[in-house]
Amino acid sequence: MPLKHRTAVVIWSVVATLVAAIALASAVLVWRGEREANAEAEDRAARFISGAEAALNRSLLGVDVVLAGMGELLESAVRPDRTLDAATATRLLRGVEHRNLMMRNLLVLGPDGRVVAAAQPESGRMGLPLMPEFVQGVLQQPAPQMAISRPLLNFTTSERSLYFARPLQLPDGTRGVAVAEMPVSLMATLLAPAAEVPGLQVTLERDDGRLLAAVPANELRMGERLEPPLAGAALNGKPMRTAGRLDGEPAIVLARPTLYSSVMVAASIPLAAALREYAHERLVILSVAAAFALFIVGVGGLTHWHFAGLERARREIAQSKTVLDQALGAMTDGFLLCDAQDRVLAWNGRYVELFPWLKDVIAPGVPFLQLAEAGAQALVPHGDEAARKAWVDMRLAIRRKGHGMYELDWGNGIVIDAVERPTPDGGTVTVIRDITAGERELARAKAAAEAANESKSRFLAAMSHEMRTPLNAVLGMNRLMLKTPLTDEQRRYAQMIRSSGQALLELINDILDLSKVEAGRMGLEIVDFSPAAVVENVVSLLTPRAQSKSLTLDLHLPRGLPPALRGDPTRLRQVLLNLVGNALKFTEQGGVEVKVSHRPAAEGKVELSIAVRDSGIGIAPEALSKLFERFVQADDSTARRYGGTGLGLAISAEIVNLMGGRIQVHSQAGAGSTFEVVLALPPGDASQLAPVDAVQETMPAPLAGGLHILVAEDNDVNQILIQALLKDMGHHCDIVDNGRDAVRKVQHGHYDLVLMDIQMPEMDGDAATRAIRSLPGAAAHVPVIALTANAMLEDRETYLRSGMDDYVLKPVNPGQLSAAIARVVG
């Protein structure tokens, strides 16, 4: 598969994986949220129905006790002839009715259903709305028990009431009926707490399905038979998903019987009402997930476009190089390259054609002096030894100047022009040309190659800025979201989004490093550093990752390790982070061991060896040869299982090679791997050690009082992020959205520090900083930190030259920003 196709597959596989992860996380969050909302509704209904059942039982039992004691109550109203004194009975009933707030009337009915005595005299005159069948049913009970009527309209009050009846032995020996009237409105007060549960509907029903009372009130269906009647397993008080008792809509229904089997209470919460409070949260989750998915797809498209452009630039450079090689091989100019000891390294056929006397002399390793002596023999054939030696001395004198030019006239119209230039490693390159032949084609090819390389550099700089700016918003907003109250599931999935964003940032950094290597722009910052501190820092950073996989991570430092060496500790740390990180990633059991050793090397240097040994999956022999190639992993199954782009080892190998060292691997499939980095470094000064930069992710403690900081940033989201970061650090900030306003603010206000974005409207950050430095008075000396998504090394140097004091790269790391502020303000 061509490289560009493999790259596209990798990019869109990553995009698809991230989008699928977001979709899955959103679906799980929505499902969990709905389930929790339903569970909360069920819990509310269960708590309510339990309380409602207890309240109803107390009320019904109180009514039953009153009715059961009516015979004993009326004993004092019996005349000697065993007839009932109506006036005395009325007074007694009224006393009981006044003591019981839930009853509006107490009555005694004769066997014919007529009122014998009543607490309310109107009932005696107007009668009761009770059906004769109900009264006869009570009188004919084989065992006395309380019966409840359906809601009936009271003639005197014009409102619905429930009538509770129980058989009674009258003084004259006949059977009568004791009746208690309870208004439906009073009965509904027992169910009134239902109004506190949104959407809850409560019904009091008889065993035949007759509706006795309802909350909210439903006059139209009062006394109507509800289908199906509640019975059997439906009365266990457990939530059921069925039709609501009043509106028939899908609902959560719970039902409980009272102490009186003919009466039961039911609670219904429509499913739509149960989920109503969760609807907004669900909309937020889906909106955020959709925004992240669209962003990732957009980043994937930009990355694909970037790689396509990078591949085009690479093809153009390769094509230019091929053309240049072909031109060098076919051109009429002669070419000779010698090393620092002035011994022959390479030449082309044209060189021998121009100097045919060298055909049997020239060879790799032959000293240039021998070529000059052969030339003297050919060009001064009639001279003596002294003349030929003088010519050799003249030729060597020109060569020692390092930029010599001379001409040789063959006397037949051909003039040979020689140009000599030193190489960076101390060697010499010589170009011999026939000055009668033009050299325009070669110059044109060289200019094209340089233009293509410059175009690629501009493209990479632009892509780095455009990708880091939205990624700063994603990671920053994610960091702010993680500081808010979240459920465990929400926090876990938010951390998954953060990990995915960090993986994307690492991919962008790898691509930039790769482009720097290809363009020859990856430089080394040679300083004095402690090798032990660098290795210990890497191990301490990756120890939590090892602990999360239950792996050991051991470090072995030898005695006598030099306290200081000279080299680039940042690049060495990058290589070790990659090697130890890979070892942990590909190890499931056992652990990883980092072993450092050293020994003397030539020219007073120290050969530093760092070996990383793991007990992981190992590498097959056929895969070792391509291990350090770009975008290549040991096999496709490794990429699918463990992820990655295959850039880490390739970049590490380039860095080690740039340091003049070597990286080697020993591995066996299923038996682990050992990667070893060997560097020859000169000793350093222990009193001038460079600090080891640790990647800080945690927010520093807020400062007392804080600083007054001006932030110049034109992106709305980034303004919110930097303001939140500075607030957490204990600082106060003002925000402007262009460089011109930043200069004006500094000129008229007192600030302890300026955080300056680079690409802004009206005036960019570079020009704004130069303008601040030209202000009169103390304002010209305010510290300025570049806060930018431009990640190229030359960008940093440009900003520092413009007068900025430090440089922080987007996406902004809180620890790095805090450290930069401490450096420039301290």
Side-chain angles (χ1 to χ4, degrees):
M1 182 184 295
L3 177 60
K4 65 177 182 180
H5 292 162
R6 291 202 306 270
T7 304
V9 169
V10 170
I11 292 172
W12 291 111
S13 296
V14 171
V15 170
T17 301
L18 294 178
V19 172
I22 291 174
L24 177 61
S26 303
V28 171
L29 287 176
V30 170
W31 174 74
R32 292 283 295 177
E34 290 181 354
R35 190 176 70 173
E36 290 173 1
N38 286 329
E40 183 178 357
E42 293 174 358
D43 185 63
R44 289 181 181 178
R47 291 198 302 269
F48 167 78
I49 202 168
S50 177
E53 176 191 1
L56 287 170
N57 283 335
R58 288 194 298 270
S59 296
L60 295 178
L61 189 59
V63 174
D64 197 9
V65 169
V66 171
L67 295 179
M70 287 280 284
E72 182 179 351
L73 175 70
L74 296 176
E75 284 295 333
S76 59
V78 177
R79 297 190 184 99
D81 60 355
R82 304 305 297 173
T83 60
L84 190 66
D85 184 349
T88 302
T90 298
R91 179 174 52 78
L92 294 173
L93 294 176
R94 185 174 299 160
V96 174
E97 181 251 332
H98 284 171
R99 290 193 298 274
N100 196 320
L101 298 179
M102 295 296 294
M103 297 181 190
R104 188 170 58 189
N105 199 359
L106 277 174
L107 307 97
V108 177
L109 304 183
D112 57 357
R114 294 184 179 182
V115 178
V116 174
Q120 299 293 333
E122 299 86 1
S123 302
R125 295 192 302 270
M126 303 185 65
L128 294 178
L130 291 173
M131 301 294 292
E133 301 84 40
F134 177 79
V135 176
Q136 290 302 316
V138 175
L139 289 172
Q140 295 172 6
Q141 288 180 354
Q145 59 182 0
M146 186 173 69
I148 304 176
S149 73
R150 61 189 178 90
L152 299 173
L153 187 65
N154 187 303
F155 301 140
T156 60
T157 62
S158 298
E159 69 172 318
R160 294 182 183 272
S161 297
L162 297 177
Y163 292 89
F164 301 81
R166 188 179 178 92
L168 173 70
Q169 186 72 29
L170 295 176
D172 60 2
T174 61
R175 295 193 76 181
V177 179
V179 179
E181 178 185 353
M182 182 183 294
V184 171
S185 59
L186 290 179
M187 178 65 75
T189 60
L190 299 175
L191 309 177
E196 300 174 4
V197 181
L200 182 65
Q201 301 173 351
V202 184
T203 58
L204 183 65
E205 304 174 31
R206 286 197 324 200
D207 56 356
D208 60 355
R210 295 283 183 183
L211 179 63
L212 302 180
V215 175
N218 193 326
E219 290 292 329
L220 296 178
R221 304 201 65 180
M222 196 65 64
E224 182 179 331
R225 188 187 302 273
L226 302 181
E227 294 293 341
L230 297 172
L235 298 176
N236 58 10
K238 295 182 179 179
M240 301 179 294
R241 300 296 175 89
T242 183
R245 299 300 292 166
L246 293 177
D247 55 15
E249 296 294 328
I252 301 170
V253 179
L254 299 86
R256 297 277 297 179
T258 65
L259 290 175
Y260 298 87
S261 58
S262 62
V263 179
M264 56 213 65
V265 61
S268 304
I269 296 182
L271 293 179
L275 297 176
R276 186 173 298 122
E277 294 181 358
Y278 178 69
H280 176 70
E281 184 177 351
R282 177 174 56 194
L283 178 61
V284 171
I285 291 173
L286 295 178
S287 299
V288 171
F292 270 115
L294 289 175
F295 170 77
I296 290 173
V297 171
V299 170
L302 286 175
T303 305
H304 189 185
W305 178 51
H306 160 71
F307 272 108
L310 189 62
E311 182 61 23
R312 286 194 300 271
R314 185 181 290 110
R315 288 199 304 268
E316 291 173 2
I317 292 174
Q319 184 178 0
S320 298
K321 185 177 183 301
T322 300
V323 171
L324 183 59
D325 290 342
Q326 292 173 350
L328 288 173
M331 68 181 183
T332 57
D333 294 343
F335 172 80
L336 176 69
L337 177 64
C338 294
D339 61 15
Q341 285 72 42
D342 214 13
R343 293 189 297 262
V344 174
L345 290 177
W347 66 96
N348 67 351
R350 182 58 177 162
Y351 186 83
V352 178
E353 291 179 7
L354 293 173
F355 301 127
W357 53 84
L358 298 178
K359 182 177 181 181
D360 298 327
V361 178
I362 194 168
V366 171
F368 183 80
L369 174 61
Q370 190 172 338
L371 302 185
E373 291 174 345
Q377 290 287 347
L379 296 176
V380 192
H382 304 297
D384 55 13
E385 189 65 26
R388 286 192 289 271
K389 186 177 184 304
W391 190 93
V392 171
D393 291 341
M394 176 273 298
R395 178 69 184 88
L396 293 178
I398 295 174
R399 188 172 182 81
R400 279 193 289 268
K401 291 181 180 179
H403 48 81
M405 297 181 61
Y406 66 93
E407 293 182 359
L408 291 176
D409 190 350
W410 291 152
N412 57 358
I414 298 178
V415 179
I416 299 300
D417 179 67
V419 179
E420 295 180 335
R421 291 289 184 269
T423 61
D425 61 355
T428 304
V429 60
T430 304
V431 176
I432 306 297
R433 60 175 62 94
D434 181 355
I435 62 175
T436 59
E439 54 183 358
R440 294 182 180 178
E441 191 65 29
L442 181 59
R444 186 179 299 112
K446 179 181 178 182
E450 292 175 349
N453 194 54
E454 181 64 26
S455 174
K456 171 186 168 184
S457 297
R458 290 196 302 269
F459 174 80
L460 287 173
M463 282 300 95
S464 172
H465 181 274
E466 294 305 318
M467 296 174 73
R468 285 174 179 274
T469 296
L471 192 57
N472 181 56
V474 171
L475 293 177
M477 283 298 183
N478 180 264
R479 185 183 294 111
L480 294 180
M481 184 171 67
L482 284 170
K483 292 169 60 179
T484 63
L486 299 173
T487 65
D488 290 341
E489 289 82 2
Q490 289 171 335
R491 183 167 298 278
R492 182 159 61 92
Y493 292 121
Q495 289 172 342
M496 289 172 58
I497 295 173
R498 180 174 179 270
S499 298
S500 299
Q502 290 288 1
L504 183 58
L505 177 59
E506 291 175 4
L507 175 60
I508 294 171
N509 289 336
D510 283 346
I511 293 170
L512 286 177
D513 280 344
L514 180 62
S515 66
K516 291 175 184 177
V517 171
E518 291 181 342
R521 295 188 177 185
M522 178 175 281
L524 298 178
E525 185 179 359
I526 305 302
V527 296
D528 296 317
F529 73 96
S530 167
V534 171
V535 181
E536 287 173 343
N537 174 256
V538 171
V539 172
S540 65
L541 282 176
L542 296 179
T543 294
R545 187 185 304 180
Q547 293 172 345
S548 68
K549 297 183 67 176
S550 300
L551 301 175
T552 62
L553 179 54
D554 298 325
L555 172 61
H556 301 283
L557 292 174
R559 293 183 179 180
L561 184 66
L565 296 174
R566 284 192 61 77
D568 190 332
T570 301
R571 291 300 180 185
L572 176 58
R573 181 175 174 274
Q574 179 181 352
V575 172
L576 295 182
L577 280 172
N578 188 278
L579 296 182
V580 180
N582 276 355
L584 292 173
K585 179 165 68 172
F586 296 114
T587 301
E588 299 297 337
Q589 294 181 345
V592 176
E593 178 186 28
V594 180
K595 185 175 182 180
V596 181
S597 61
H598 66 99
R599 66 178 183 179
E603 300 178 0
K605 295 184 178 180
V606 176
E607 185 178 273
L608 180 67
S609 173
I610 305 174
V612 179
R613 180 181 296 107
D614 65 65
S615 58
I617 61 175
I619 305 169
E622 60 273 13
L624 289 174
S625 60
K626 60 180 180 180
L627 195 60
F628 294 101
E629 295 181 11
R630 298 162 189 168
F631 300 104
V632 174
Q633 290 191 343
D635 55 49
D636 293 339
S637 63
T638 300
R640 288 192 299 270
R641 181 177 179 184
Y642 296 98
T645 60
L647 287 176
L649 286 179
I651 294 173
S652 297
E654 297 283 3
I655 292 174
V656 172
N657 184 62
L658 188 62
M659 292 179 173
R662 66 182 186 276
I663 183 170
Q664 52 199 21
V665 58
H666 305 282
S667 183
Q668 183 177 353
S673 305
T674 299
F675 285 82
E676 184 178 15
V677 175
V678 180
L679 298 172
L681 302 174
D685 184 355
S687 65
Q688 302 292 328
L689 292 181
V692 178
D693 294 332
V695 179
Q696 302 176 7
E697 287 292 345
T698 57
M699 181 69 68
L703 297 176
L707 302 175
H708 192 194
I709 298 175
L710 176 65
V711 178
E713 170 62 63
D714 64 322
N715 184 281
D716 295 340
V717 178
N718 289 338
Q719 289 177 357
I720 297 172
L721 291 177
I722 192 62
Q723 189 173 29
L725 282 176
L726 294 176
K727 181 180 179 182
D728 287 346
M729 293 178 188
H731 303 311
H732 312 281
C733 72
D734 296 333
I735 296 178
V736 295
D737 59 5
N738 63 75
R740 193 177 304 280
D741 288 345
V743 176
R744 189 179 301 114
K745 281 277 191 180
V746 171
Q747 185 175 13
H748 295 96
H750 174 71
Y751 291 97
D752 300 307
L753 174 68
V754 178
L755 296 181
M756 185 75 72
D757 187 23
I758 299 301
Q759 296 188 10
M760 293 185 295
E762 297 190 33
M763 178 185 287
D764 62 28
D766 186 61
T769 302
R770 296 181 188 276
I772 289 174
R773 293 297 180 235
S774 65
L775 293 174
H781 306 291
V782 62
V784 179
I785 297 178
L787 201 63
T788 177
N790 295 330
M792 305 302 284
L793 180 62
E794 54 268 26
D795 294 329
R796 181 178 185 276
E797 296 171 349
T798 299
Y799 305 149
L800 295 180
R801 284 197 303 269
S802 71
M804 297 184 182
D805 299 279
D806 214 322
Y807 170 94
V808 175
L809 187 62
K810 296 177 181 177
V812 177
N813 180 291
Q816 293 176 349
L817 177 60
S818 176
I821 292 175
R823 284 195 298 270
V824 302
V825 175

